[in-house]
Amino acid sequence: MDTFPAEKIQAASSGLRAIAHELRLAILCHLSGGPLTVSELLARTGANQSNLSQHLAKMRMLGVLDCERRGQQVTYRLANPAFAQIAEALKAIYCASDTEQNSGDPAACPNPSPTQRSTP
Amino acid sequence: MDTFPAEKIQAASSGLRAIAHELRLAILCHLSGGPLTVSELLARTGANQSNLSQHLAKMRMLGVLDCERRGQQVTYRLANPAFAQIAEALKAIYCASDTEQNSGDPAACPNPSPTQRSTP
DNA sequence: AAGTTATATTATCTTATTCTAATATTGTCA
DNA sequence: TGACAATATTAGAATAAGATAATATAACTT
């Protein structure tokens, strides 16, 4: 996959920023099952009202969520169902059925590593 | 999709944070086509060497990339092929074939919006 | 060993995120 | 109209992320 036009990268990274936060990802996951009102999200996430509202606003402004008011309740939904696929991919990565994920040292790498010659 | 265990959300959001940046997303896209050396990434992204290295380090520490040194070159690759799916999903969202994406005001919403009664 | 290439690390400054608390809007109902 | 419920907004302080420049390390070459 190299065909991601450079001009779109900026927009896409904004979209990612919109969900790259513990609470906002939780919101995404909950909304992947269908629209929910703020109260429902409040109950499911256990978040602080003001804080939740701010995060919802950010997700909306960054184009991840749409919302609609009905009386005094506001319902939020994914602006694009493909956002749920991102949650799916994450689940595949972080909820692998195996016992453990990656046994290696996360920081292990380049300079510290032992020499490996390309032409032994 | 509500079956994303709460304990995993934190790890997953770290993974997202690792790619929620213009340059890091570009790196992900380039590596989706297969492993590349730092020099190759340097050429393709046009980034500053020090900066690129720091972003690669962050992606590695957050578990998105693996790397391996061969002589004086270091090759980076996706730690999990499923990360490429995220790039695919983003492409679906942000590179829709239609002329334009979402024509609505991104900020339009709740309080500012006109009344809609639930029982008209 | 000295020079050179490839890459990583550190330091610092600037800017952006995030949380909390307080307050404001909007809509409903008695 | 006045109280209440649902949600949004603002302001401020604390923390994190980012860019740049300078320097360090590691491996190769002569």
Side-chain angles (χ1 to χ4, degrees):
Chain A
M1 213 279 289
D2 208 341
T3 48
F4 206 128
E7 339 86 70
K8 309 283 186 165
I9 290 268
Q10 185 170 13
S13 67
S14 298
L16 278 180
R17 243 190 349 267
I19 60 175
H21 179 278
E22 208 166 333
L23 177 54
R24 296 197 299 264
L25 177 56
I27 291 169
L28 167 62
C29 291
H30 285 117
L31 294 181
S32 291
L36 292 173
T37 66
V38 175
S39 325
E40 289 168 325
L41 285 168
L42 212 40
R44 298 180 198 216
T45 63
N48 163 291
Q49 186 273 316
S50 167
N51 199 215
L52 177 65
S53 184
Q54 286 176 99
H55 283 293
L56 288 170
K58 170 166 278 195
M59 294 176 82
R60 167 161 43 86
M61 286 203 299
L62 290 173
V64 172
L65 302 183
D66 280 342
C67 67
E68 177 191 7
R69 168 160 234 140
R70 275 206 153 248
Q72 47 189 344
Q73 313 228 120
V74 176
T75 298
Y76 280 84
R77 80 193 66 233
L78 300 188
N80 188 320
F83 282 113
Q85 289 177 222
I86 296 182
E88 284 301 325
L90 288 170
K91 195 164 52 169
I93 297 168
Y94 294 97
C95 307
S97 30
D98 305 322
T99 325
E100 202 56 33
Q101 169 83 352
N102 185 348
S103 52
D105 175 355
C109 216
N111 276 344
S113 79
T115 304
Q116 283 174 297
R117 295 189 53 93
S118 43
T119 49
Chain B
M1 217 279 289
D2 208 340
T3 48
F4 206 129
E7 339 88 69
K8 308 281 186 167
I9 289 268
Q10 186 171 11
S13 68
S14 298
L16 277 180
R17 249 196 337 273
I19 60 176
H21 178 278
E22 208 167 331
L23 177 54
R24 296 197 299 264
L25 177 55
I27 291 169
L28 167 62
C29 291
H30 285 117
L31 294 180
S32 290
L36 292 173
T37 66
V38 175
S39 324
E40 288 168 327
L41 286 168
L42 212 41
R44 300 182 196 215
T45 62
N48 165 291
Q49 185 273 317
S50 167
N51 198 215
L52 177 65
S53 184
Q54 283 176 97
H55 284 293
L56 287 170
K58 172 168 276 191
M59 294 176 82
R60 168 162 42 88
M61 285 203 301
L62 290 172
V64 172
L65 302 183
D66 280 343
C67 65
E68 176 191 6
R69 168 159 235 143
R70 274 210 152 242
Q72 48 189 341
Q73 312 229 120
V74 177
T75 297
Y76 280 83
R77 79 194 64 234
L78 300 186
N80 188 322
F83 282 113
Q85 288 176 223
I86 296 183
E88 284 301 323
L90 288 169
K91 194 162 55 168
I93 298 168
Y94 294 98
C95 306
S97 31
D98 304 323
T99 326
E100 204 55 34
Q101 169 83 350
N102 186 347
S103 52
D105 176 355
C109 216
N111 276 343
S113 78
T115 304
Q116 282 174 296
R117 297 189 51 92
S118 42
T119 50

